Amino acid sequence: MSSCVTFNFDGRFISVLNVAAGLLREGGLLSLRRVSEGELTVEALKLLGCRVPYLDEVKKEWCSLEELGLYDDVSPSPLRVFSSTEELLYRNWPTPLVRLQSLSRSGVAAWAKLEFYNPFSMSVKDRVGWAMVREFLERNPSASAVLYEATSTNTGMALAAMAAIKGLKAKLFLPQTIQRASDVLLSTMGAEVHRVPKSLTVETIGEVEELARRGRGVHLNQFDNDANFKVHFKYTAKELDLQVRSAGLRLCGIFSGIGTSGHLSALSLYFKCRYGDHVGVYAVQPAEGHAIPGIRRLETGMKWIHLVRVDRIVDVTLEEAVEGVLRVARGDGILVGLSSGAVATVFEKLTSELERGDYVLVFPDHGFKYVKQLSKYFKAQAQSARAAGSE
Ligand code: PLP
């Protein structure tokens, strides 16, 4: 099945994206005199989080993206005092970038971007929940809608948090393959939780769309909502860019899991346009027949990945993902989630083929949600050890 048929591609958005990609390639604006309200360039600059230099402000012919404030919205609160929990999210960015001794080999360094430092779901999905709700409320300022969403937990937690902050309600739909603890976590945060008898496929998403329509709710739909891609393009990518620059790294590649494909696609477009195609992009998906929470196989339907360049798509089994978690936990002392373990394993598998340099591994969440899968792995290990002992 082609995934493209089920998504709404907004032609204007794609044109703006192309202009933004051009601006990143150029590193600035060549002829400021051409900029005027209504132009694609204006929207592209806004998408990048830059100031728009209108005609009468213009003193010269060339302006770099930095001069236009590309990095200005990466502004952490230095003493970590926040006026609201919403501010706790975006004024706490960048999330940390840390070198991993467990995965780095001579000349090939692994740097993990720790998305579990986000406060609501302890995952990358806080960014998406925040962006989708903010965009929705900008368009519908007095809305008191119920938010419907299909989620593998993290987006649900982020939406439940945003609903609590904004005085909205959230109705969440979890696939059967997701750990039972999620129902408790999401209900604790005030959401209504339902189970769907499938994994997260385009059909499931369609069913939630229909339920939202019948219930007169709002289906924000992280799989199709461009706010997902935009928040990673405007924030995640730029903060990573600043971190890489300030650490003086030689960025050769980015490894990342794919669920909606939001973060990987935004990072791919941003870094390949700004620094060139030698920045490799490696997408990680579950091997056929394996369920790894948060990531899915490309053919189950994704939107933005089809608009960007990806160098390799690599399969990982659930066991390999758990082994990646153990490697990082026992080598670096941090307990990451299964999709992070999957990314770690793929990086390890490919290390010998990689050119010398620095690589970023996006670790989307923390390991605390995956006790069930981890204990199942330990039981299976103990069983095979017993079987081997009795042979
Ligand atoms: N890993 C985890 C744990 C996730 O929750 C998700 C998304 O839900 C992903 C990876 C994939 O991220 P994206 O949806 O940006 O592709």
Side-chain angles (χ1 to χ4, degrees), residues 293-308:
I295 59 175
R296 303 184 296 137
R297 289 186 63 76
L298 183 64
E299 68 265 19
T300 59
M302 282 171 212
K303 187 178 185 183
W304 305 281
I305 200 165
H306 302 287
L307 303 175
V308 303

Side-chain angles (χ1 to χ4, degrees), residues 182-244:
S182 293
D183 304 53
V184 181
L185 298 175
L186 292 165
S187 316
T188 305
M189 296 184 78
E192 192 179 306
V193 186
H194 300 267
R195 285 279 170 172
V196 286
K198 296 179 191 146
S199 57
L200 274 187
T201 59
V202 281
E203 288 79 25
T204 315
I205 300 156
E207 279 167 28
V208 173
E209 176 82 29
E210 178 57 21
L211 287 169
R213 198 187 57 75
R214 277 196 255 135
R216 296 180 190 281
V218 178
H219 183 207
L220 291 173
N221 194 0
Q222 57 172 328
F223 299 91
D224 195 32
N225 188 328
D226 290 326
N228 177 348
F229 177 93
K230 284 193 234 169
V231 76
H232 292 304
F233 197 59
K234 185 170 170 185
Y235 295 96
T236 322
K238 278 197 316 195
E239 65 182 59
L240 180 57
D241 182 9
L242 260 186
Q243 289 173 312
V244 164

